[in-house]
């Protein structure tokens, strides 16, 4: 597997698509997930990312260069690596209405990135709801036992399993 560190210098030699072509599929999927989360967590508006790359989401004829968008994302999305940005943008470019994957319509990019952020936010909201529901049930069970009760590993594992949490014994050690 090609690491993110090794992928970094390739950008300057081969462009965004060159970086991605050098990364194995499993690493690409991991980097794509990471990039989506970082973009979603970023406070920077999508229109600012596009504007910094020379595009305008309000102008129907506006286009952005993939490499310029890559540089803009690296500057504006905290924690994003060269490889992660390259994988995200290559995936995005393949889902736009552009014939040339190096030049993308700014409005398509804006809509695609906004849609991506919305899907990730909705998924994270569902995860938080699921986790909070499970935690709430476990906490209610603990509270019902009383403050002075001492639990062994078996009893603790039983309460967790009863609430849908499957914990291995290694966690308790």
């Amino acid at each position: 597997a090609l690491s993110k560190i090794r992928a970094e210098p390739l950008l300057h030699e081969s462009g965004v698509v060159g970086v991605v072509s050098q990364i194995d599929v499993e690493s690409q999927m991991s980097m794509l997930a990471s990039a989506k989360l970082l973009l979603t967590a970023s406070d920077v508006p999508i229109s600012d990312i596009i504007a910094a790359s020379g595009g305008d989401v309000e102008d129907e004829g506006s286009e952005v260069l993939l490499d310029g968008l890559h540089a803009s994302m690296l500057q504006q999305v905290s924690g994003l690596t060269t490889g992660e940005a390259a994988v995200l943008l290559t995936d995005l470019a393949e889902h736009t209405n552009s014939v040339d994957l190096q030049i993308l319509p700014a409005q398509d990019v804006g809509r695609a990135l906004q849609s991506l952020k919305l899907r990730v936010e909705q998924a994270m909201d569902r995860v938080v709801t699921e986790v909070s529901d499970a935690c709430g049930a476990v906490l209610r069970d603990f509270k019902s036992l009383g403050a002075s009760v001492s639990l062994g590993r078996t009893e603790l594992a039983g309460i967790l399993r009863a609430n849908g949490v499957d914990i291995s014994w290694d966690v308790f050690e």
Side-chain angles (χ1 to χ4, degrees), residues 103-172:
I103 303 171
L104 307 173
Q107 286 187 338
D108 286 355
V109 170
R111 280 191 293 272
L113 290 175
Q114 284 294 78
S115 175
L116 180 147
K117 281 184 78 162
L118 180 61
R119 285 192 319 271
V120 171
E121 287 170 353
Q122 290 171 340
M124 291 307 296
D125 288 346
R126 286 192 304 270
V127 167
V128 167
T129 299
E130 294 274 334
V131 169
S132 67
D133 289 349
C135 289
V138 170
L139 289 175
R140 283 189 295 279
D141 284 352
F142 287 156
K143 189 174 181 179
S144 71
L145 293 173
S148 61
V149 173
S150 176
L151 293 175
R153 290 188 298 180
T154 306
E155 293 87 9
L156 180 57
I159 289 172
L160 293 173
R161 277 196 200 96
N163 288 288
V165 180
D166 191 19
I167 299 287
S168 72
W169 285 110
D170 294 339
V171 173
F172 293 118

Side-chain angles (χ1 to χ4, degrees), residues 24-160:
D24 66 274
V25 174
E26 185 177 326
S27 295
Q28 285 182 33
M29 293 299 104
S30 175
M31 293 167 87
L32 181 59
S34 178
K36 287 178 178 182
L37 289 171
L38 288 167
L39 178 65
T40 301
S42 173
D43 291 335
V44 179
I46 297 300
S47 58
D48 288 359
I49 293 171
I50 292 170
S53 67
D56 181 359
V57 293
E58 300 297 321
D59 180 0
E60 191 174 317
S62 180
E63 296 179 324
V64 292
L65 293 173
L66 189 63
D67 287 338
L69 191 56
H70 182 267
S72 173
M73 289 188 79
L74 288 174
Q75 290 174 343
Q76 304 215 19
V77 179
S78 181
L80 191 67
T81 67
T82 297
E84 289 166 342
V87 170
L88 176 65
L89 291 172
T90 302
D91 183 66
L92 175 111
E94 292 171 356
H95 295 93
T96 63
N97 296 325
S98 181
V99 175
D100 181 353
L101 295 182
Q102 295 297 317
I103 303 171
L104 307 173
Q107 286 187 338
D108 286 355
V109 170
R111 280 191 293 272
L113 290 175
Q114 284 294 78
S115 175
L116 180 147
K117 281 184 78 162
L118 180 61
R119 285 192 319 271
V120 171
E121 287 170 353
Q122 290 171 340
M124 291 307 296
D125 288 346
R126 286 192 304 270
V127 167
V128 167
T129 299
E130 294 274 334
V131 169
S132 67
D133 289 349
C135 289
V138 170
L139 289 175
R140 283 189 295 279
D141 284 352
F142 287 156
K143 189 174 181 179
S144 71
L145 293 173
S148 61
V149 173
S150 176
L151 293 175
R153 290 188 298 180
T154 306
E155 293 87 9
L156 180 57
I159 289 172
L160 293 173

